[in-house]
Amino acid sequence: MTGRQAVPSRPERREAEEDRWHTIVTAHRHDELSRDRRLAPSYVVPNSWEHARRRLELLEACYDPASFNRASALGVQEGWRCLDAGAGHGSFARWLSAKVGAAGSVVAADLDTRLLAGITEPNIEVHQMDLVSDPLPLGEFDFVHTRLVLTHLPAREQVLKRLCAALRPGGILMIEDLDGFPVLATATGAYRQAWLAFIKALQAAGVDTDWAHDLPLRLHRHGLAGIDAALDVPLFRGGSAHAQFWSLTWQQVRDRVVAVGAPAQVIDQGQADLGDEQRWFRGPAMVIAWGRHPPT
Ligand SMILES: C[S@@+](CC[C@H](N)C(=O)[O-])C[C@H]1O[C@@H](n2cnc3c(N)ncnc32)[C@H](O)[C@@H]1O
């Protein structure tokens, strides 16, 4: 059969463009990841950024309520010695400090402690340290927590092993990290395009964006007992704290997104979507998993 090729309609063109991004993201993960890892430092959203404080305040506003509820349910109590690994702006360390009281103590550890400078609680010790390579005590903590840190670290399994070893017998590890499946399954339009470009930039920097998917299994492999888990999928409005958090996060990685071949407008248009108060969005799921160091 002969004839002119049909011109694709606008929705068809959009779908084709999305498919193209999917293909690029997938191909990139398999073929180009190691090359890009050599080019880029691993932590993509450093605290040295001019808007980092605001970004982490928004992160805390989004995720603290569920983190506090879960840690309370796990029995954090007076007198415990705790570690918050990658403490960021410090809200979780402060919450722990109030829970454990004067008889307990909290180590707030971070590679870059500049946003922990305002901590005055006498039972919090701020430690500037690299979780990958600096010494961590063995068998010391009743409770170890980390949120939105390990997926960023190429040595994440090694760090997880070290965090487990830092627990005293019977101590609890609670770990929280994001899984993008709700976004990939449901997002459309500019919001989707921005996510795909963002994921590609993260993966180029060595972030394993799927790592949290199997978090309970990972705790099992590291020898913890009594493992359980929960999943929170946020549904949020344009302009909300979640929307502002993602918008600011994309802003921080804009250069990386452009460096992996996406047009800068992908971020601009995604941010415009997130500012629209008439729109509702699903965000990535927070996977929360916990387990105990087996008593000896
Ligand atoms: C996304 S922020 C999360 C902060 C905090 N956990 C929260 O949820 O509010 C990640 C934090 O991990 C820290 N971080 C990144 N790589 C690290 C490393 N190798 N060792 C220690 N901290 C690290 C960063 O400096 C940053 O403060």
Side-chain angles (χ1 to χ4, degrees):
M1 210 166 75
T2 57
R4 282 195 320 194
Q5 238 184 338
V7 176
S9 67
R10 189 181 292 222
E12 281 169 346
R13 284 204 303 274
R14 202 176 51 225
E15 274 173 28
E17 180 63 13
E18 288 198 11
D19 286 348
R20 193 176 73 81
W21 265 109
H22 251 313
T23 309
I24 292 171
V25 167
T26 312
H28 182 87
R29 290 172 61 178
H30 296 303
D31 303 336
E32 299 179 31
L33 198 54
S34 52
R35 189 201 67 195
D36 287 337
R37 269 185 188 153
R38 283 199 302 275
L39 292 177
S42 63
Y43 189 54
V44 296
V45 280
N47 296 352
S48 52
W49 188 48
E50 57 179 329
H51 303 300
R53 181 182 300 277
R54 175 67 186 141
R55 180 178 166 272
L56 289 189
E57 284 170 356
L58 287 164
L59 184 162
E60 291 170 350
C62 296
Y63 299 114
D64 274 355
S67 301
F68 295 169
N69 281 342
R70 180 58 57 190
S72 282
L74 290 174
V76 174
Q77 60 191 259
E78 266 194 55
W80 277 17
R81 178 146 174 82
C82 304
L83 166 67
D84 192 22
H89 179 248
S91 62
F92 195 82
R94 284 191 175 90
W95 180 85
L96 283 173
S97 148
K99 279 294 222 190
V100 302
S105 61
V106 180
V107 173
D110 204 289
L111 192 59
D112 181 343
T113 55
R114 76 184 71 203
L115 301 178
L116 301 171
I119 285 184
T120 52
E121 287 81 348
N123 63 349
I124 301 184
E125 307 155 30
V126 174
H127 287 197
Q128 192 275 315
M129 63 174 291
D130 186 338
L131 292 166
V132 177
S133 52
D134 286 330
L136 258 182
L138 290 176
E140 177 160 332
F141 296 102
D142 300 289
F143 186 72
V144 172
H145 171 259
T146 185
R147 183 176 70 187
L148 298 176
V149 179
L150 267 58
T151 48
H152 287 281
L153 309 180
R156 54 193 76 82
E157 288 296 334
Q158 191 187 319
V159 174
L160 181 54
K161 184 177 177 185
R162 302 181 83 211
L163 295 180
C164 292
L167 292 168
R168 67 163 182 76
I172 298 171
L173 173 70
M174 171 179 158
I175 174 165
E176 309 184 66
D177 242 312
L178 293 175
D179 182 345
F181 76 87
V183 175
L184 296 175
T186 62
T188 57
Y191 178 63
R192 180 181 188 83
Q193 295 306 315
W195 264 107
L196 294 177
F198 174 57
I199 288 171
K200 186 181 175 202
L202 290 182
Q203 290 172 346
V207 178
D208 184 345
T209 51
D210 294 331
W211 187 75
H213 201 72
D214 296 319
L215 214 39
L217 198 57
R218 294 182 193 284
L219 298 193
H220 178 70
R221 287 195 195 119
H222 284 281
L224 296 192
I227 294 160
D228 210 341
L231 195 66
D232 285 338
V233 180
L235 178 60
F236 61 87
R237 192 173 203 141
S240 62
H242 271 280
Q244 291 177 53
F245 170 67
W246 288 115
S247 184
L248 214 47
T249 301
W250 294 345
Q251 193 173 318
Q252 187 168 5
V253 300
R254 171 190 290 265
D255 289 349
R256 287 179 178 272
V257 166
V258 172
V260 293
Q265 300 92 291
V266 165
I267 295 296
D268 299 336
Q269 288 161 4
Q271 287 182 306
D273 266 20
L274 285 173
D276 181 350
E277 294 183 8
Q278 304 307 312
R279 299 270 309 269
W280 287 83
F281 304 91
R282 279 164 187 78
M286 182 66 90
V287 184
I288 310 180
W290 58 92
R292 277 183 191 279
H293 191 293
T296 48

